[in-house]
Amino acid sequence: MAWEFKNGIPIYLQIMEGIKTRIAGGLLPPGSKLPSVRDLAAQAGVNPNTMQRAMTQLEQEGLLYTQRTSGRFVTEDEAKMKELRSSLSEKYVEELFTQLSRLGMSREEIISEVSRWRPQEDENVNKSSE
């Protein structure tokens, strides 16, 4: 997992967002086992306590679960997965509208542009979430 962190946003929140995106996008499929907290922390270049905080929060949100001797896994709860995708899509649409509104575009203009948009032939939409 490649990690890039932005200034001004707590790292554990950015880790959570990255894992949520990977789950929603299928890079971490339901039921898949995650690497250990130490391994994930080393990959991300963060303190293991920071990674543990993110993992604990994701468990509290029901996106991950722990099996005592086997490790941590992605939920297989379809309702949770649907809720996650809906939540992320709402966030991304809001960000898109905010950015385009700052350019002076009206709601109608934004909707028109979005409905006309087509991905480039060689573009893989999932690459943007990696």
Side-chain angles (χ1 to χ4, degrees):
M1 292 185 200
W3 297 94
E4 290 182 31
F5 299 112
K6 300 174 185 164
N7 291 328
I9 302 171
I11 291 175
Y12 84 96
L13 292 176
Q14 294 180 64
I15 291 169
M16 288 176 60
E17 184 73 16
I19 291 173
K20 286 179 179 182
T21 301
R22 288 170 174 95
I23 291 171
L27 295 174
L28 290 172
S32 64
K33 183 178 180 189
L34 274 69
S36 71
V37 168
R38 273 195 198 286
D39 289 345
L40 284 171
Q43 290 172 15
V46 300
N47 186 299
N49 293 330
T50 302
M51 187 60 70
Q52 180 61 43
R53 183 175 182 185
M55 297 293 108
T56 299
Q57 185 66 36
L58 289 168
E59 278 191 46
Q60 290 173 352
E61 291 181 14
L63 296 173
L64 302 178
Y65 65 92
T66 299
Q67 290 184 342
R68 282 198 138 187
T69 58
S70 302
R72 193 171 268 132
F73 298 83
V74 175
T75 186
E76 296 177 70
D77 182 340
E78 283 300 318
K80 279 286 179 199
M81 299 299 278
K82 186 174 182 177
E83 180 183 319
L84 173 62
R85 287 185 189 101
S86 177
S87 159
L88 288 174
S89 66
E90 184 176 319
K91 177 183 178 240
Y92 298 146
V93 168
E94 180 181 347
E95 289 173 3
L96 175 69
F97 269 76
T98 298
Q99 292 298 323
L100 294 178
S101 293
R102 287 181 182 156
L103 296 177
M105 293 178 72
S106 70
R107 184 177 194 279
E108 293 74 24
E109 289 172 318
I110 295 169
I111 291 170
S112 174
E113 287 300 315
V114 168
S115 67
R116 290 183 325 118
W117 182 81
R118 298 287 179 260
Q120 301 296 321
E121 287 183 30
D122 62 341
E123 192 173 69
N124 183 346
V125 175
N126 287 333
K127 284 187 179 180
S128 65
S129 65
E130 290 181 8

